[in-house]
Amino acid sequence: MLKRRDARLCLAFFYCGVLLLLAGEILKQLANTEFFAGFANGLLVGAVTALVLAGLVLSFRLRCPNCGKRYARPRWNIFHTDYCSNCKKPFVYDDEMEGEEP
């Protein structure tokens, strides 16, 4: 059974990484001083770190509970059910009832 906490953590890391990447690029374009360029580079390092953490959570914590295939699609809420591309069984999270469609 997949943990909803891991799915939300993966999504949070991913979106934080994207936002940090965008903020760093916008900061580089707006201010051409040395201080802001260094700060933008720090934001880039933080963005890459957040994206790598999202990938690690996705590949090691979100696996199909039936066949073990990696990369179960992370879902924030319970209103949609995804199925494994390998064994065709639904991904069941710990906050859902087994066998019951939300």
Side-chain angles (χ1 to χ4, degrees):
M1 186 173 306
L2 299 172
K3 294 185 179 182
R4 183 72 64 189
R5 177 183 54 93
D6 293 334
R8 289 179 177 168
L9 185 66
C10 178
L11 290 172
F13 278 142
F14 176 75
Y15 289 125
C16 284
V18 170
L19 287 175
L20 286 173
L21 185 65
L22 289 174
E25 287 301 315
I26 289 171
L27 191 61
K28 273 186 184 178
Q29 297 297 323
L30 291 179
N32 291 329
T33 63
E34 188 67 32
F35 173 75
F36 287 117
F39 189 68
N41 290 336
L43 287 176
L44 179 64
V45 169
V48 169
T49 303
L51 291 172
V52 166
L53 287 173
L56 289 174
V57 171
L58 179 66
S59 64
F60 291 111
R61 300 291 295 174
L62 295 175
R63 305 177 92 171
C64 178
N66 299 309
C67 67
K69 185 177 181 209
R70 291 187 180 188
Y71 310 120
R73 186 174 175 186
R75 285 282 177 191
W76 190 272
N77 56 22
I78 62 172
F79 299 117
H80 183 76
T81 302
D82 284 329
Y83 295 89
C84 179
S85 62
N86 191 33
C87 67
K88 307 296 187 235
K89 292 186 180 178
F91 295 129
V92 178
Y93 286 90
D94 58 356
D95 59 350
E96 298 173 357
M97 298 296 289
E98 284 193 42
E100 181 180 310
E101 292 291 324

